[in-house]
């Protein structure tokens, strides 16, 4: 079985948002829809303060709660494990948005291309009418690991662009895939962990501290 | 090639039906290592920009102030060229020096040669240099024969960062450096970050030491005191063999010379002075008092060692707010990490192995004592014996092709100077500058003997031109530059601009403060529509990356290089412009590539000739079109220990000399507006309080600095940057320590007023536990102030709060400033 997923090494991540921007580019999402994001949070009191960065994206769950919540069966799981939205079927109930424990699903009607103006630039027109047009907004939107790129043999945009190389993409079931080789070679050895194991979603995005 | 900063990472652009829709990093470019930072990922929003200029614009409203509508009128390119060329031709014939220039396009750096080289206007109306590396570049030039510097992430095991952001938020080639630093951290490199703010580097550090703003130099002087006077642990062998630290210095502060005119050292075995190159020298003294032909002298190192004694950890802990115990511990960790005595073999060559480095950049730059700070930080690296050694502190050349540079200009420029010491390239910038009684330039850079051109002086020189015996400056020509934004006291700067008869600018969009005041605005082509072959401060690599058009440019636009060529022809200086290009790009290296005097060459043709002159036929422009880049990793021999037996300047006698010349000249002429502090022309570093405005400490009780995180001002109105950075208070607000803010009744999200003794600006407060209690950090990313077509965008800017108070050694003015902060109710 193929089980595509991403391993994120938080020790590498510098919270720079190159992934967030690469995703904006690749998917041309409307304003305030960020299918890939990085949260940062401070802990402690000065001068003993720590700051952490946490990249968040769709976890491509084995048991996706969004899929079971959708009343119109508009969310499906591909054979390679990627969870996708079938925009045609999206009825706008937005049950998926509230079902996702990771806040990784957005609902958008496309909105204005940007907050400044009604006159879209050529790029915004492309995103609106070509990319999002194909997605037939309004619809639910989520990260699909750049399935269009994967189908062309490329890696997801966020993975390719990451300056620190903190995102490692591949088939988690394949012992010689990039994530498994990375885990094997990493010093110190750590056990990857998923987010919200309590949600019983069996995610395919794992993190290393 | 990306152009979202000055460096130029390799990119691949995906074009669909003539529209560039996606930029990916070039996986084969070893400069950015197949990575691209968030700026590069937002680049398309700058190309497809609503404020893009598609046709030349003529200002119909002669009234110029912030609220005045420019009343732009679109005109044909030919008319725009004619209007500007006519004015410039008149100025050129009368006195070329009455044209002010503000050129700032690094990726088309040959255009920087136009003002002085082709037109004869050596003026510099910008603080591009003095807010950048006025102290940094000269010190790197003197010690490495390079422009910048970076830790050797290949081998470094212990890195002390002094507010540099290297590999986290900025500095050299963020994408590639972030990858290299992350790899180094993963293999166990310890990272200690000394910075007032818990930025990204501090967040990822093994240890964060929040320091009082402006006192890093005191911290480093104290570290050196502990290493030299308490632990007695440093790389003495390195200093003896590879620097001028053992050279004997007489009471006059200069090297003692023997009968043969050579600098003397002390031989402790023979108990006798010797010429520095005496062949049978078994040892050299670094310390002691020695008499040479009746002259009392001491090794340079001894003077340094004594100077350090005042920087006790106890005293410096009061200055820096870092405890004496921590200072002692860090000093010990550094010397232990240096593994002094250990060697490494690379490619059959044995090098000293020094896997420790102290790195800095931004924090030490726009400081009035920048030269002293940069010098001190270089010195601590020297004590560890790590200069250009595996694991240590490496020089990074600018890599442009200067006129007199033979061979690979991405390699350190090593030439013999006096007394066996490497010739100091105090810059690849400007040194030495001949003194002239009447300054030739608006920035008076013949008064600043090293460092960058102090453009912050230009507005006052313009407004008081009579005092300087100068004709009234008549026009400003700006290319990819925004002096109104980068000058301190922008009100003064604006006043100076209002006296201009003509302001002409070349830019891609009407968005900068200066473009808004233009009389004629030329529409430039973007990085996706124009040509360049470029490298800039690329660490670990050598080579060039190509910029080539991938989308069709709007018909009425012209590449900035071509605009300048067209104007040159019309002004009647095409021959001079072509000559400047021949020199600046090194086209003379190949006679076939030389531009003929009176022929017009397109930007593409200029780049074609540059490639052929630099690489010969093996890598001509066609090769670059196919391969994109010639970047390759430097070999160990290119990267490490390139000095060929020359010594590095530990003791900078030439800086002392430059200062004495400057002082003599200053006393004899009416050279300056204010008496400048000249004390930084010293042969050895010292900590000086650069704070800034020490008066009214009670009223102005906090110190403000700016931080731009990962984003530059240029990207502030990118819709994606606004969306992403605008969601993050640390990127879009003013940082205040939580307790400091509570005492003033300020909460996160409050509108606040930040006032210096000059002016006040407004911002939005973000309370944080990650900031020194005495500091205020003003972020420059996100949150536009204005919106809409042909209007300027800006966040809280501190330019208004600053005064051009500078120190003559580096040309830097002070950008840490005393402020008070209050909530706006």
């Amino acid at each position: 079985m193929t089980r595509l997923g991403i391993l994120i090494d938080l020790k590498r991540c510098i919270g720079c948002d190159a992934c967030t921007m690469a995703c904006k580019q690749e998917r041309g999402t409307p304003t305030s829809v960020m299918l890939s994001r990085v949260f940062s949070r401070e802990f402690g009191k000065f001068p003993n303060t720590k700051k952490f960065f946490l990249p968040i994206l769709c976890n491509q769950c084995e048991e996706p709660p969004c899929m079971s919540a959708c009343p119109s069966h508009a969310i499906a799981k591909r054979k390679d494990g990627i969870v996708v939205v079938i925009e045609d079927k999206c009825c706008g109930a937005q049950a998926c948005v509230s079902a996702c424990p990771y806040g990784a699903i957005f609902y958008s009607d496309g909105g204005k291309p940007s907050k400044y103006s009604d006159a879209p630039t050529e790029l915004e027109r492309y995103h609106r009418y070509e990319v999002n047009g194909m997605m037939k907004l309004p619809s639910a939107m989520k990260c699909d690991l750049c399935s269009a790129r994967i189908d062309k043999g490329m890696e997801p945009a966020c993975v390719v662009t990451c300056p620190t190389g903190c995102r490692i993409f591949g088939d988690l079931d394949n012992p010689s895939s990039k994530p498994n080789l990375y885990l094997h070679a990493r010093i110190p050895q750590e056990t990857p962990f998923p987010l919200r194991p309590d949600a019983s979603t069996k995610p395919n995005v794992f993190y290393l501290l | 090639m990306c152009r979202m900063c000055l460096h130029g990472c390799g990119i691949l652009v995906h074009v669909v039906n003539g529209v560039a829709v996606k930029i990916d990093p070039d996986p084969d470019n070893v400069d950015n290592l197949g990575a691209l930072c968030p700026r590069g990922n937002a680049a398309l929003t700058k190309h497809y920009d609503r404020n893009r200029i598609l046709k030349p614009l003529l200002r119909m409203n002669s009234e110029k102030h912030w609220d005045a509508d420019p009343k732009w009128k679109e005109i044909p390119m030919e008319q725009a060229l004619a209007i500007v060329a006519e004015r410039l031709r008149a100025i050129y014939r009368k006195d070329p020096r009455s044209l002010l220039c503000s050129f700032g396009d690094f990726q088309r750096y040959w255009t920087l040669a136009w003002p002085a080289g082709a037109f004869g206007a050596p003026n510099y109306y910008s603080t591009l240099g003095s807010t950048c590396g006025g102290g940094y570049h000269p010190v790197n030039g003197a010690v490495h024969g390079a422009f910048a510097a970076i830790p050797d992430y290949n081998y470094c095991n212990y890195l002390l960062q002094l507010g540099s952001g290297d590999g986290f938020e900025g500095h050299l080639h963020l994408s590639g450096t972030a990858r290299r630093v992350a790899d180094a951290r993963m293999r166990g490199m310890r990272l200690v970050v000394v910075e007032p703010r818990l930025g990204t580097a501090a967040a990822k550090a093994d240890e964060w030491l929040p320091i009082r703003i402006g006192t890093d130099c005191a911290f480093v002087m104290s570290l050196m005191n502990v290493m030299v006077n308490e632990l007695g642990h440093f790389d003495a062998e390195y200093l003896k063999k590879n620097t001028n630290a053992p050279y004997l210095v007489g009471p006059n502060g200069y090297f003692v010379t023997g009968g043969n005119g050579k600098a003397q050292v002390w031989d402790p075995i023979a108990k006798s002075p010797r010429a520095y190159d005496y062949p049978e020298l078994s040892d050299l003294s670094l310390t002691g008092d020695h008499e040479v032909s009746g002259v009392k002298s001491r090794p340079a190192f001894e003077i340094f060692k004594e100077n350090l004694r005042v920087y006790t950890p106890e005293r410096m802990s009061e200055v820096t707010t870092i405890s004496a115990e921590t200072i002692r511990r860090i000093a010990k960790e550094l010397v232990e990490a240096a593994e002094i005595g250990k060697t490494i073999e690379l490619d059959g060559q044995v090098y000293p192995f020094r896997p420790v480095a102290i790195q800095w950049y931004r924090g030490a730059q726009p400081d009035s004592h920048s030269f002293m700070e940069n010098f001190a930080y270089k010195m601590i690296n020297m004590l560890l014996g790590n200069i250009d050694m595996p694991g240590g502190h490496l020089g990074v050349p600018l890599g442009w092709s200067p006129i007199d540079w033979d061979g690979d200009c991405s390699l350190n420029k090593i030439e013999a100077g006096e007394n066996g010491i490497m010739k100091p390239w105090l810059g690849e910038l400007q040194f030495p500058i001949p003194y002239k009684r009447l300054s030739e330039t608006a920035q008076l850079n013949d008064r600043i003997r090293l460092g960058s051109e102090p453009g912050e002086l230009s507005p006052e020189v313009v407004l008081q031109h009579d005092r300087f015996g100068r004709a009234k400056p008549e026009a400003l020509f700006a290319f990819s530059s925004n002096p109104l934004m980068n000058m301190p006291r922008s009100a003064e700067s604006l006043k100076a601009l209002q006296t201009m008869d003509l302001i002409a600018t070349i830019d891609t969009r009407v968005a900068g403060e200066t473009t808004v005041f233009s009389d004629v605005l030329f529409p430039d082509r973007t990085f996706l529509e124009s040509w360049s072959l470029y490298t800039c401060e690329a660490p670990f690599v050598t080579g060039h990356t190509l910029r080539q058009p991938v989308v069709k440019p709007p018909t009425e636009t012209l590449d900035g290089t071509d605009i300048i060529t067209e104007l040159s022809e019309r002004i009647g200086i095409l021959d001079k412009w072509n000559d400047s290009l021949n020199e600046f790009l090194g086209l003379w290296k190949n006679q076939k590539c030389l531009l003929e005097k009176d022929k017009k060459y397109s930007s593409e043709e200029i780049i074609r000739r540059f490639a052929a002159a630099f690489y010969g036929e093996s890598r001509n422009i066609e090769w670059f079109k196919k391969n994109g880049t010639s970047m390759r990793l430097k070999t160990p021999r290119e990267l490490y220990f390139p000095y060929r037996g020359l010594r590095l300047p530990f003791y900078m006698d030439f800086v002392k000399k430059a200062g004495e010349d400057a002082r003599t000249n200053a006393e004899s002429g009416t050279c300056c507006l204010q008496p400048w502090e000249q004390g930084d022309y010293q042969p050895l570093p010292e900590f000086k309080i650069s704070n800034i405005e020490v008066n009214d400490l009670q009223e102005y009780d906090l110190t403000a600095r700016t931080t731009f995180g990962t984003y530059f001002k240029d990207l502030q109105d990118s819709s994606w940057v606004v969306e992403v950075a605008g969601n993050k208070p640390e990127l879009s607000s003013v940082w205040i320590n939580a307790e400091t803010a509570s005492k003033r009744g300020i909460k996160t999200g409050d509108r606040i007023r930040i006032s210096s003794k000059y002016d006040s600006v407004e911002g939005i407060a973000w309370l944080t536990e990650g900031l020194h209690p005495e500091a205020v950090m003003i972020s420059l990313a996100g949150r536009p102030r204005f919106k809409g077509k042909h209007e300027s965008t800006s966040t809280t800017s501190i330019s208004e709060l600053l005064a051009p108070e500078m120190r003559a050694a580096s040309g830097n003015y002070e950008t840490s400033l005393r402020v008070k902060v209050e909530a706006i109710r």
Side-chain angles (χ1 to χ4, degrees):
Chain A
M1 277 282 283
T2 307
R3 186 163 61 97
L4 294 181
I6 290 186
L7 178 66
I8 299 179
D9 194 332
L10 295 176
K11 191 171 174 192
R12 285 180 177 270
C13 176
I14 56 171
C16 72
D17 273 314
C19 48
T20 314
M21 289 292 182
C23 182
K24 290 296 301 177
Q25 274 205 80
E26 183 71 31
R27 297 291 302 269
T29 50
T31 302
S32 75
V33 176
M34 284 182 266
L35 306 183
S36 170
R37 289 181 285 176
V38 186
F39 290 96
S40 65
R41 192 167 156 193
E42 274 181 20
F43 295 89
K45 287 272 175 200
F46 181 89
N48 302 308
T49 324
K50 293 274 176 202
K51 191 177 199 169
F52 291 103
F53 305 109
L54 183 66
I56 295 283
L57 69 164
C58 168
N59 278 239
Q60 317 297 341
C61 308
E62 286 302 295
E63 290 169 16
C66 56
M67 193 161 93
S68 40
C70 179
S72 57
H73 307 289
I75 296 178
K77 199 159 166 67
R78 297 192 348 172
K79 276 187 185 158
D80 55 10
I82 299 177
V83 178
V84 294
V85 176
I86 306 158
E87 294 86 356
D88 273 344
K89 292 190 182 174
C90 179
C91 62
Q94 300 183 41
C96 53
V97 177
S98 37
C100 176
Y102 309 104
I105 305 195
F106 293 75
Y107 182 81
S108 177
D109 62 1
K112 282 187 181 176
S114 91
K115 63 167 82 167
Y116 295 133
S117 161
D118 291 325
T121 62
E122 277 178 272
L123 178 68
E124 287 162 352
R125 271 204 298 274
Y126 171 81
H127 281 144
R128 200 173 194 185
Y129 302 116
E130 301 287 327
V131 182
N132 296 340
M134 289 194 310
M135 291 166 57
K136 302 188 178 76
L137 298 181
S139 169
M141 300 180 87
K142 63 180 283 302
C143 161
D144 61 358
L145 289 180
C146 291
S147 58
R149 290 172 67 105
I150 290 172
D151 294 345
K152 284 187 234 163
M154 298 160 79
E155 292 197 317
C158 59
V159 173
V160 165
T161 214
C162 177
T164 64
C166 84
R167 291 171 178 241
I168 302 110
F169 165 77
D171 178 4
L172 304 182
D173 277 344
N174 179 350
S176 57
S177 70
K178 281 187 185 174
N180 285 321
L181 291 177
Y182 182 87
L183 267 182
H184 187 70
R186 189 182 190 269
I187 301 169
Q189 288 272 308
E190 295 274 350
T191 310
F193 61 90
L195 294 182
R196 295 288 309 272
D198 57 304
S200 312
T201 56
K202 295 191 186 163
N204 284 319
V205 173
F206 289 89
Y207 296 82
L208 287 166
L209 266 181
Chain B
M1 182 176 67
C2 180
R3 80 130 287 176
M4 289 303 109
C5 75
L6 65 165
H7 290 127
C9 291
I11 54 172
L12 302 177
V13 186
H14 185 47
V15 179
V16 177
N17 296 331
V19 182
V21 300
K22 179 74 203 295
I23 293 176
D24 272 327
D26 177 357
D28 299 327
N29 193 314
V30 292
D31 178 8
N32 49 310
L33 296 170
L36 195 60
C37 79
R39 295 194 294 265
N41 270 292
L44 286 178
T45 57
K46 300 313 291 175
H47 173 77
Y48 295 109
D49 188 318
R50 225 162 265 104
N51 286 318
R52 178 83 196 269
I53 314 157
L54 302 171
K55 287 179 181 172
L57 296 176
L58 179 67
R59 187 188 182 94
M60 302 305 286
N61 185 0
S62 57
E63 212 182 307
K64 286 177 186 169
H65 55 81
W66 285 115
D67 301 322
D69 178 358
K71 297 192 176 145
W72 297 118
K73 183 183 155 194
E74 288 185 344
I75 56 171
M77 180 62 80
E78 189 47 52
Q79 190 186 345
L81 290 167
I83 293 171
V84 173
E86 191 191 330
R87 281 297 299 137
L88 295 188
R89 190 166 56 241
I91 292 171
Y92 178 74
R93 285 179 183 164
K94 206 165 107 197
D95 181 356
R97 292 170 303 170
S98 44
L99 173 67
L100 297 177
C101 285
S102 179
F103 278 32
D105 194 315
F106 273 45
Q107 293 197 352
R108 286 171 289 184
Y109 62 91
W110 47 89
T111 57
L112 304 181
W114 189 85
F119 194 87
N123 303 312
Y124 191 67
Y125 199 82
S126 167
T127 58
L128 176 76
S130 40
T131 48
C132 180
Y136 178 68
H137 299 311
V139 173
N140 289 325
V143 174
H144 305 270
F147 196 64
I150 199 163
D152 182 11
Y153 297 117
N154 298 315
Y155 300 105
C156 185
N157 292 331
Y158 190 114
L159 174 60
L160 180 72
Q161 275 207 355
L162 303 164
S164 95
D166 200 81
F168 295 98
E169 289 174 306
H171 201 215
L172 307 180
H173 294 251
L174 178 60
S175 307
T177 305
R179 177 69 56 89
R180 291 181 169 98
V181 176
D183 286 346
R185 286 194 293 114
M186 292 308 292
R187 74 172 163 72
M189 180 184 76
R190 184 172 170 78
L191 175 65
V192 178
V193 169
V194 181
E195 199 177 338
R197 150 192 94 109
L198 182 67
T200 309
K204 302 307 289 188
D206 297 289
E207 187 172 1
W208 171 46
L209 301 174
I211 190 169
R212 177 180 281 147
I213 287 186
T215 64
D216 306 28
C217 186
F219 173 69
V220 169
M221 294 302 284
S222 194
L223 290 177
M224 291 198 284
N225 186 24
V226 174
M227 287 157 66
V228 172
N229 288 315
E230 291 189 11
L231 300 172
H233 194 177
F234 54 93
D235 198 341
E237 284 311 303
Y238 173 85
L239 295 179
K240 287 178 190 175
K241 273 189 202 155
N242 298 309
T243 74
N244 66 11
Y247 285 21
L248 295 172
V249 176
N252 63 359
Y254 290 102
F255 296 133
V256 175
T257 50
N260 51 10
K262 286 182 174 175
Q264 300 289 299
V265 294
W266 190 260
D267 182 338
I269 314 278
K271 296 196 171 48
S272 159
R274 300 282 192 211
Y276 70 90
D277 57 354
Y278 185 70
E280 284 151 43
L281 215 49
S282 46
D283 196 9
L284 300 88
S285 290
L286 282 176
T287 54
D289 290 295
H290 310 286
E291 217 171 276
V292 182
S293 321
V295 178
K296 282 190 174 165
S297 68
R298 294 185 293 168
F301 184 81
E302 171 75 24
I303 302 171
F304 172 69
K305 186 171 185 266
E306 286 309 305
N307 289 356
L308 287 179
R309 287 193 192 277
V310 295
Y311 302 100
T312 62
E314 282 69 24
R315 277 192 61 208
M316 291 308 107
S317 74
E318 285 168 29
V319 174
T320 61
T321 70
I322 294 176
S323 76
E325 188 194 348
T326 304
I327 293 173
R328 287 198 169 90
R329 175 174 56 82
I330 299 287
K332 192 160 175 283
E333 287 177 7
L334 284 168
V335 284
E336 283 172 1
E339 306 198 33
I340 293 164
K342 210 169 161 185
T343 56
I344 185 172
E345 190 177 324
L346 297 168
D347 264 6
Q349 184 103 359
V350 177
Y351 300 93
F353 181 58
R354 296 289 175 275
V356 61
I358 290 86
Q359 173 71 4
W360 71 99
Y361 171 58
R362 196 76 211 140
Q365 300 326 318
D367 272 6
S368 48
H369 293 294
S370 181
F371 181 71
M372 286 286 102
E373 294 175 45
N374 281 279
F375 194 0
Y377 308 159
K378 197 62 80 181
M379 209 66 138
I380 189 171
N381 281 295
M382 271 199 201
L383 286 182
L384 296 166
N386 72 357
I387 305 290
D388 293 300
M389 297 300 186
H393 178 70
L394 310 180
V396 180
L398 181 58
W400 294 358
S401 175
I403 303 161
D404 57 349
W405 202 296
D406 237 351
D408 187 341
C409 50
S410 290
L411 303 183
N412 300 31
K413 182 166 177 143
I414 310 296
E415 278 180 29
E418 292 172 9
N419 284 315
I421 304 166
M422 193 178 84
K423 188 172 176 181
W425 295 102
L426 275 167
E428 282 174 51
L429 286 171
Q430 45 155 2
F431 183 84
I433 303 154
Y435 175 84
K436 296 197 181 72
R437 190 170 181 286
L438 290 176
S439 183
E440 293 282 318
T441 68
Q443 66 277 20
L444 307 181
N445 65 326
D446 30 19
R447 302 290 181 276
I448 315 297
R449 305 304 302 279
L450 41 121
S452 292
E453 308 197 54
E456 65 272 15
L457 300 178
S458 305
E460 285 190 73
V461 176
V462 169
L463 292 169
Q464 303 184 41
H465 55 93
D466 286 345
R467 272 186 69 183
F468 296 89
R470 295 169 59 91
K472 175 185 167 295
E474 294 180 29
L476 173 78
F477 190 11
F479 176 23
S480 196
S481 175
N482 188 357
L484 258 188
M485 186 274 286
N486 67 30
M487 294 280 188
R489 304 203 73 185
S490 36
E492 285 291 298
S493 183
L494 177 58
K495 217 186 285 172
L497 287 196
Q498 283 165 336
T499 69
M500 300 288 124
D501 297 338
L502 173 81
I503 299 175
T505 55
I506 302 175
D507 213 331
T508 54
R509 44 195 214 107
V510 192
E513 285 80 351
T514 312
T515 53
V516 173
F517 287 99
S518 303
D519 294 288
V520 179
L521 230 171
F522 289 105
D524 194 2
R525 291 187 176 165
T526 73
F527 69 114
L528 298 181
E529 301 161 347
S530 53
W531 291 93
S532 178
L533 190 61
Y534 184 65
T535 179
C536 179
E537 302 180 313
F540 307 107
V541 296
T542 173
H544 289 84
T545 299
L546 181 72
R547 175 204 284 192
Q548 60 182 327
V550 292
V551 295
K552 213 173 142 212
T555 44
E556 298 263 344
T557 60
L558 210 52
D559 185 331
T561 303
D562 297 322
I563 293 172
I564 288 173
T565 301
E566 293 292 339
L567 285 173
S568 300
E569 185 191 29
R570 286 163 177 79
I571 297 165
I573 54 170
L574 189 59
D575 54 338
K576 292 200 172 69
W577 172 226
N578 285 346
D579 270 354
S580 301
L581 288 169
N582 285 334
E583 276 194 36
F584 210 66
L585 287 171
L587 303 184
W588 51 265
K589 286 175 189 164
N590 182 342
Q591 287 298 315
K592 280 194 281 185
C593 298
L594 276 173
L595 307 181
E596 288 173 41
K597 274 190 176 316
D598 295 312
K599 221 172 135 189
K600 255 195 316 190
Y601 296 90
S602 69
S603 48
E604 181 180 1
E605 178 61 19
I606 293 166
I607 293 306
R608 194 185 70 73
R609 289 177 183 236
F610 175 43
F614 201 90
Y615 288 100
E617 280 311 303
S618 61
R619 288 184 177 182
N620 58 21
I621 195 77
E622 298 308 322
W623 184 92
F624 272 98
K625 282 179 188 172
K626 209 169 124 199
N627 294 280
T629 183
S630 62
M631 286 289 179
R632 64 163 177 84
L633 290 172
K634 286 181 187 170
T635 64
R637 270 169 210 268
E638 289 170 328
L639 201 54
Y640 301 124
F641 204 26
Y643 306 117
R644 299 179 210 130
L646 295 169
R647 291 169 180 269
L648 302 184
F650 179 91
Y651 186 88
M652 297 201 187
D653 57 325
F654 45 87
V655 173
K656 180 177 158 64
K657 179 76 172 55
E660 281 168 9
D661 288 353
R663 270 191 293 275
T664 312
N665 290 325
E667 280 154 17
S668 63
T670 50
C671 75
C672 19
L673 299 165
Q674 299 154 0
W676 291 334
E677 163 69 52
Q678 302 266 10
D680 282 2
Y681 291 105
Q682 291 181 185
L684 289 168
E686 165 183 342
F687 166 66
K688 298 182 178 186
I689 294 180
S690 65
N691 271 21
I692 327 163
E693 292 298 322
V694 275
N695 301 326
D696 308 318
L697 278 185
Q698 278 188 330
E699 188 181 357
Y700 299 101
D701 54 350
L702 300 172
T703 306
R705 283 280 301 231
T706 53
T707 163
F708 47 67
T710 324
Y711 304 101
F712 289 137
K713 154 104 186 166
D714 195 34
L715 271 159
Q716 277 173 19
D717 57 349
S718 149
S719 52
W720 292 344
V721 172
V722 171
E723 186 182 340
V724 173
N727 273 336
K728 303 205 165 187
E730 64 268 43
L731 292 174
S732 55
S733 309
V734 178
W735 299 36
I736 309 178
N737 173 284
E739 199 180 324
T740 306
S742 307
K743 282 183 192 156
R744 288 160 177 75
I746 296 169
K747 299 185 297 298
T748 288
D750 281 355
R751 282 206 76 76
I752 50 171
R753 182 175 295 112
I754 308 150
S755 318
S756 76
K757 73 175 195 181
Y758 296 104
D759 211 334
S760 67
V761 294
E762 293 182 7
I764 292 170
W766 178 58
L767 272 56
T768 170
E769 296 290 343
L771 186 67
H772 194 279
E774 298 166 13
V776 176
M777 281 285 167
I778 301 176
S779 172
L780 294 178
R783 239 180 249 282
R785 196 200 294 170
F786 310 108
K787 55 182 182 177
K789 198 167 173 75
H790 296 176
E791 283 180 351
S792 160
T793 64
S794 179
T795 51
T796 305
S797 157
I798 62 165
S799 299
E800 296 286 342
L801 306 182
L802 297 169
E805 292 174 5
M806 37 93 56
R807 305 296 196 271
S810 61
N812 286 123
Y813 62 98
E814 185 58 59
T815 57
S816 300
L817 66 158
R818 301 296 302 194
V819 296
K820 60 179 172 183
V821 174
E822 58 204 332
I824 300 171
R825 302 288 176 208

